Every structure is written in C-alpha cells, then in structure tokens.
Amino acid sequence: MFSDTTSGKKPSSPEGSQPVGFNSIIGNFRDRRSISLDFRTRLPHALLIYNGIKDRPAEIQSYELYIMLDQGQLKVKHLFGDFSTTVVVGKGLNRGRWHHVNVVIDPIEGMIHASVDEHSVSEEIDGLKEYPLYGYGAYQDKLDSIVFVGGTSI
C-alpha cells in the first residue's frame, strides 16, 4: 500500500486487515544505495525490500540486499560475492504501529547504516575493500537493479 508522501498522512485501513503496510519508499540503487520507508505490521517475520542485480555479468560479484523483520526486529542482510554482513536494530516492530526505516550502503566508507525510529546501528561491510568495482564503476550504465517491495501480500 502506497500513499502520497507529500500529504504526510499514513494510509488508513481497518485494523489488522493488512499484514504489511507501506507509506513511502525512496531509493537510489546505484553507487551509494539508500532506502527509506515507513511500514507497519503485526507479523514477526516479513520481507520488506529485496534489491539485487538483474542479468549480472560474470566479472561482477553477486549482490543482494534484504530488509526484513525477524522476530519483530529489523534485520538488514547485505550479500556481496562470498561475503555476508547482517545488522539488526530495533525491537517490537510487529505491534501494528508505524515505523520509519532508513538504510544506507556506502561503498566509499565501506559501511552499512541502518536505523528504525530513533535506534541506529552501523557496521563495516565485509569484502568491499577487495572489490573496487562494487560501485559498478565502468558497468554503471549497463546494470539493472531488481527491487521487490513487500514479500508478503498487502
């Protein structure tokens, strides 16, 4: 469920009628990747966002980003080649209240930053130093991203 983010109003629905509701999603899926969204759910486990590379050339390492709920906590999992970095932030995010999420993958810093409401965490991303083409470099115009929103029906 999406709404006009300029109005500042959250979408309304009968209580409990939707497993996951979204208010806004803003993303930049090139060099510095960032996603910002508002959501609410009563589910303890849910896929909120998935991002990957479509038709990836063999010389580019695999890349996947999962933003999900796991046991009512926000979990961000970043996969790059053989490397995996996971951060967990927040708790009790499945009580039907609205939450604001912001995730930034910064290849220059080699960091992942995740926040939900007033809680935030940052972690060094494993494997970026070994692969300077992470930011797509010369392949920037040739790669397409895949973005899935809400892994559960809404």
Side-chain angles (χ1 to χ4, degrees):
M1 168 200 293
F2 296 95
S3 72
D4 175 5
T5 58
T6 60
S7 70
K9 295 180 182 177
K10 306 285 188 210
S12 61
S13 65
E15 190 66 27
S17 68
Q18 297 183 337
V20 179
F22 289 97
N23 182 35
S24 61
I25 298 174
I26 303 166
N28 172 8
F29 299 108
R30 292 289 181 195
D31 296 324
R32 186 173 193 222
R33 297 160 179 88
S34 65
I35 298 173
S36 179
L37 63 98
D38 295 321
F39 79 94
R40 72 176 180 175
T41 187
R42 293 196 178 278
L43 299 174
H45 309 285
L47 177 63
L48 301 176
I49 301 282
Y50 167 82
N51 177 227
I53 299 173
K54 181 179 180 181
D55 302 325
R56 176 182 55 85
E59 64 270 18
I60 300 288
Q61 294 292 316
S62 61
Y63 159 81
E64 294 178 280
L65 178 68
Y66 297 86
I67 301 174
M68 61 191 126
L69 286 183
D70 186 16
Q71 298 179 4
Q73 297 179 300
L74 183 74
K75 181 188 248 182
V76 180
K77 187 170 190 172
H78 179 274
L79 302 172
F80 181 63
D82 295 331
F83 301 95
S84 176
T85 303
T86 302
V87 297
V88 178
V89 62
K91 62 182 178 180
L93 303 177
N94 59 323
R95 296 182 182 148
R97 295 188 202 123
W98 284 100
H99 300 282
H100 180 73
V101 172
N102 190 46
V103 175
V104 177
I105 308 295
D106 191 329
I108 308 274
E109 293 180 345
M111 299 290 290
I112 183 170
H113 308 281
S115 65
V116 60
D117 302 329
E118 69 279 356
H119 305 285
S120 64
V121 65
S122 296
E123 181 82 28
E124 185 174 333
I125 300 173
D126 293 331
L128 288 193
K129 293 178 183 170
E130 292 85 359
Y131 295 97
L133 287 180
Y134 177 84
Y136 298 147
Y139 302 99
Q140 187 169 6
D141 296 329
K142 299 176 186 175
L143 294 178
D144 293 323
S145 285
I146 300 169
V147 179
F148 293 107
V149 178
T152 60
S153 60
I154 52 176

